[in-house]
Amino acid sequence: MKKSTTIFNQLGVQQVISLTTIVNETLDTNFNIEKKAPTFTAAQLWNIQRQRRPMLQRRNVFNY
């Protein structure tokens, strides 16, 4: 097994040039800005509270 004292291999001149070249930015023309996060409704809150009640009851059943 060969041990290495460096983490990375040495880079060649062409590799350094290709890694450091500047790339022109492009913008997506089909980007939809009007995406809105879904609203949290009262029905969703009610459902969360409804699901918590049986869990709390089950947790306290075995506590003597």
Side-chain angles (χ1 to χ4, degrees), residues 2-58:
K2 182 179 175 182
K3 291 189 176 183
S4 177
T5 57
T6 60
I7 297 174
F8 301 108
N9 294 335
Q10 295 294 326
L11 296 176
V13 175
Q14 290 296 338
Q15 290 174 328
V16 171
I17 291 171
S18 68
L19 288 172
T20 57
T21 55
I22 297 174
V23 178
N24 294 333
E25 293 184 17
T26 57
L27 298 176
D28 186 11
T29 57
N30 297 326
F31 183 72
N32 188 3
I33 297 173
E34 297 182 14
K35 290 183 181 178
K36 295 181 181 178
T39 56
F40 189 73
T41 63
Q44 290 171 331
L45 177 62
W46 176 82
N47 194 22
I48 291 170
Q49 291 175 341
R50 184 179 59 85
Q51 290 175 353
R52 284 186 64 202
R53 287 184 197 125
M55 284 189 280
L56 291 174
Q57 290 172 352
R58 273 186 260 136

